Amino acid sequence: MPHKPPTAEELERRKIVGINEETITDVSSTDYPGHYPGEDHSWDIEAFRRGFRIEFHKNDPFEASFSLIGIDASIANAFRRIMIADIPTLAIETVFINNNTSVIQDEVLSHRLGLIPFKGGHKGLHKFLKWWRRPSDESQVNNSYYDYNTVSLRLEVKCEHNEKAAPGETDPTKLYKHAHVYARDIEFCPVGRQSKYFSGDDAIAPVNPDILIAKLRPGQEISLSMHMHKGVGSDHAKFSPVATASYRLMPVIKIERPILGADAEKFARCFPRGVIALEKVTKKEAAQKGSGYEGHEGEFKAVVADPMRDTVSRECLRHEEFRGKVKLGRRRDHFIYLVESTGQWESDAIFLEAVAHLKKRAQDLEKQVINMVR
Amino acid sequence: MPRAKAKKEEPVEAGSDVDMEEAPTSHQPENTDDMSVDQDDNDEEEGFEEDEEDEEDDVQRVRLLPGSTPTAASFEFLNEGHTLGNALRYIIMKNPDVEFCAYAIPHPSEAKMNVRIQTFEGTTAIQALQKGLQDLQELCDIVTDKFIDARERYAATTSS
């Protein structure tokens, strides 16, 4: 039997993950050589270039959203995982406490300090700063800190009575000086070439100056210095450049038979606002035999307006009146990413960095494989 | 109840049947050359990842596992996980000369990832692995180009 190439309809069907009331179907991708007899699904870089596209939905420094269309889940997931765990950032790693008479314990205070996201000049952060490695000889630790691998910070706060406070004042922030310790109280101490890369707007500083670190009362004091190092999210979440980096698959809603009148309004309420729109049945549609619109001219019908806003709650599948009229699914090769940066990188730059990182990893391993054969 | 049965049999097996050949490959004894690789690996874990340019690590991170033939081989990758494992598996499976490809992480507390490749006649598992790594790099280039294009297009539409 000669093989017929798949129709466009068939190719479209293969891309959909079916979502039923209680079950899901067609979960795995099938675009491998040998899966469909007579069809070639081998890797073709030009075919990939033609079929792959990216669309932006939002591009702010702290939040970017974009779609990768025409790529496999294994690659999309690699990008997501790299963004979370493998893109380096600078964070507080060591805290040297000189004096801490506040009620918050040294280790808890240190942990809070570590989690504060910092920003700084991009060139300095990404190009100038290198990894710090703990020397194998423990006695050499103090000789391992350089301007290119360690950033020094200080926090010196002392709480005192405020003599100028009005009598009867009860607000601690007015009654005392430095009752609250904020991230903005952390002082950057540049060393060596750091003043060249991190000065003015490029200085190392907390992304959000209003993060509350501790509360003090008169007589209490926090005096400490800190070392920041570059690290990755797989070591500690504080090094992750993103608050979240996630993707979801594009929802597909297919209305197979007309949903009209009051049913259409109820149908629209089964979805988040904006997903389903109501349109009037036109004269032409009503005249068409077998369309299901006969004699319904002027009535409202449900149409899919914006499936991307859907949460795929399956609510519409619970109602008897929609049975057999609607099919839900998700597009297997359409990934809607949401990347929220913590501030050290631009959100879109994190993704680009992740792609570059994957390339570098593959490149390094290729060298390793060649080396292994030799 | 296959589970209960397996539990019953366990004590009998424990003493007599722990055959090294049946143990997962990652538990098999390594030769002395590989031991040195392991030690270097530990050093690596104490610090962070490899440096970008200045310090090129000479540690061999890929190894051919024993029992491999030219067309059917298992590879062991040190310090790799699902991120690269699954991406590599996909791109190698896209090779029409590859009969079978799969990856596994034998134990979560060992930073090791194994890839199994079986090819048809005419190519070798090592060639398939190399092609996979090259294809992955080409793919990354296209994603970068298209991402920058899309970002520029988006910036043009929002600013005007």
Side-chain angles (χ1 to χ4, degrees):
Chain A
M1 195 178 81
H3 180 76
K4 269 187 263 163
T7 59
E9 208 174 51
E10 163 69 6
L11 286 176
E12 191 60 24
R13 193 194 56 79
R14 285 180 192 172
K15 280 185 196 165
I16 306 293
V17 178
I19 295 172
N20 305 324
E21 201 174 338
E22 300 288 349
T23 56
I24 47 171
T25 61
D26 308 301
V27 185
S28 309
S29 44
T30 54
D31 56 337
Y32 297 109
H35 190 95
Y36 298 101
E39 285 179 33
D40 178 33
H41 284 281
S42 56
W43 178 251
D44 176 357
I45 197 75
E46 287 312 316
F48 174 72
R49 196 195 301 274
R50 265 181 272 121
F52 177 65
R53 64 181 213 277
I54 297 181
E55 277 169 20
F56 264 81
H57 312 302
K58 189 176 188 183
N59 191 17
D60 295 340
F62 287 96
E63 187 174 312
S65 176
F66 46 85
S67 288
L68 264 60
I69 305 154
I71 199 164
D72 191 74
S74 57
I75 310 288
N77 192 42
F79 293 148
R80 183 193 64 84
R81 287 174 63 99
I82 291 170
M83 285 194 277
I84 294 169
D86 290 312
I87 305 299
T89 66
L90 190 69
I92 295 169
E93 173 73 0
T94 319
V95 179
F96 304 92
I97 294 180
N98 301 322
N99 194 9
N100 172 25
T101 51
S102 74
V103 290
I104 183 161
Q105 296 91 335
D106 292 359
E107 63 275 25
V108 181
L109 180 64
S110 305
H111 181 243
R112 290 178 69 80
L113 288 166
L115 293 171
I116 298 169
F118 280 80
K119 61 179 177 165
H122 283 195
K123 198 177 169 210
L125 284 174
H126 309 325
K127 296 261 155 59
F128 168 65
L129 282 179
K130 300 275 185 298
W131 304 104
W132 172 79
R133 280 162 195 268
R134 184 176 289 280
S136 43
D137 180 2
E138 199 63 27
S139 67
Q140 292 301 305
V141 164
N142 287 332
N143 295 331
S144 66
Y145 303 124
Y146 295 98
D147 58 351
Y148 60 81
N149 66 16
T150 307
V151 171
S152 245
L153 301 171
R154 260 184 357 157
L155 179 61
E156 310 271 351
V157 193
K158 204 170 180 173
C159 184
E160 282 161 346
H161 280 283
N162 181 9
E163 279 87 31
K164 287 176 196 149
E169 178 65 63
T170 54
D171 182 357
T173 56
K174 289 175 185 151
L175 205 51
Y176 317 123
K177 290 173 187 163
H178 296 296
H180 291 177
V181 184
Y182 290 103
R184 60 171 160 270
D185 299 323
I186 296 172
E187 189 193 336
F188 167 49
C189 315
V191 186
R193 284 169 290 172
Q194 283 171 8
S195 44
K196 185 176 136 202
Y197 292 101
F198 306 115
S199 55
D201 284 348
D202 288 344
I204 304 280
V207 175
N208 189 335
D210 300 325
I211 297 171
L212 184 65
I213 298 170
K215 290 187 177 183
L216 304 178
R217 284 297 177 268
Q220 294 181 349
E221 180 185 358
I222 289 176
S223 165
L224 49 86
S225 57
M226 294 161 268
H227 280 177
M228 302 178 91
H229 297 301
K230 244 188 189 185
V232 287
S234 53
D235 175 43
H236 193 293
K238 70 186 174 188
F239 290 120
S240 187
V242 290
T244 63
S246 63
Y247 59 67
R248 61 196 178 99
L249 294 180
M250 179 67 144
V252 176
I253 305 158
K254 219 169 133 194
I255 297 172
E256 302 206 302
R257 282 195 284 134
I259 299 171
L260 299 161
D263 274 1
E265 278 173 49
K266 184 177 177 184
F267 187 70
R269 282 200 300 275
C270 290
F271 293 88
R273 205 162 289 157
V275 175
I276 300 296
L278 299 177
E279 279 177 14
K280 280 207 171 125
V281 177
T282 62
K283 203 171 181 176
K284 203 175 147 199
E285 280 170 331
Q288 209 171 2
K289 277 230 169 86
S291 65
Y293 292 118
E294 304 101 316
H296 292 288
E297 193 195 330
E299 273 183 56
F300 279 119
K301 61 164 180 173
V303 291
V304 181
D306 187 3
M308 205 176 104
R309 299 171 73 151
D310 190 22
T311 54
V312 198
S313 66
R314 311 186 194 194
E315 172 68 14
C316 64
L317 302 177
R318 299 177 64 234
H319 301 280
E320 198 54 49
E321 53 267 57
F322 308 133
R323 188 135 302 170
K325 291 187 174 178
V326 61
K327 248 191 179 154
L328 295 185
R330 307 195 97 134
R331 208 166 288 271
R332 202 202 321 283
D333 68 342
H334 186 144
F335 298 87
I336 306 165
Y337 280 77
L338 180 67
V339 181
E340 288 178 43
S341 169
T342 53
Q344 201 165 112
W345 297 76
E346 249 65 293
S347 294
D348 53 354
I350 296 173
F351 182 82
L352 278 176
E353 195 63 22
V355 179
H357 184 95
L358 184 63
K359 188 187 171 184
K360 174 102 196 341
R361 280 260 276 277
Q363 220 166 15
D364 288 352
L365 283 175
E366 202 193 333
K367 275 184 220 150
Q368 294 259 331
V369 171
I370 292 165
N371 202 27
M372 173 184 77
V373 178
R374 213 166 32 208
Chain B
M1 297 257 275
R3 202 166 172 193
K5 205 178 164 191
K7 256 191 180 168
K8 256 187 201 167
E9 278 171 1
E10 226 167 37
V12 188
E13 278 180 14
S16 59
D17 205 17
V18 185
D19 195 341
M20 282 319 279
E21 276 169 49
E22 274 185 24
T25 42
S26 61
H27 292 172
Q28 286 184 9
E30 292 157 277
N31 58 44
T32 40
D33 281 13
D34 292 320
M35 289 305 270
S36 65
V37 171
D38 243 29
Q39 275 169 10
D40 288 355
D41 173 44
N42 288 343
D43 283 350
E44 178 121 303
E45 271 177 13
E46 267 182 34
F48 293 111
E49 271 195 0
E50 322 126 27
D51 275 10
E52 284 116 23
E53 293 103 12
D54 45 356
E55 264 178 81
E56 266 304 318
D57 274 319
D58 294 336
V59 183
Q60 184 59 36
R61 287 163 60 220
V62 187
R63 177 167 85 94
L64 199 63
L65 288 171
S68 297
T69 65
T71 58
S74 297
F75 302 91
E76 184 187 77
F77 291 74
L78 297 180
N79 292 323
E80 289 296 346
H82 295 285
T83 306
L84 195 101
N86 201 20
L88 197 58
R89 188 224 84 219
Y90 166 77
I91 209 103
I92 294 173
M93 276 176 84
K94 285 287 254 179
N95 185 341
D97 301 327
V98 171
E99 182 189 23
F100 174 85
C101 179
Y103 86 101
I105 290 166
H107 196 282
S109 58
E110 285 184 312
K112 289 174 179 168
M113 189 263 298
N114 290 355
V115 176
R116 173 78 178 170
I117 303 172
Q118 288 169 214
T119 64
F120 296 115
E121 291 299 323
T123 187
T124 67
I126 291 171
Q127 279 170 355
L129 176 62
Q130 264 181 311
K131 183 183 177 328
L133 289 164
Q134 285 162 5
D135 287 345
L136 211 51
Q137 292 169 48
E138 287 178 6
L139 180 145
C140 288
D141 287 336
I142 292 180
V143 174
T144 302
D145 290 349
K146 295 236 177 182
F147 188 86
I148 290 169
D149 283 355
R151 188 172 62 177
E152 275 170 17
R153 251 184 294 127
Y154 178 78
T157 53
T158 47
S159 61
S160 58

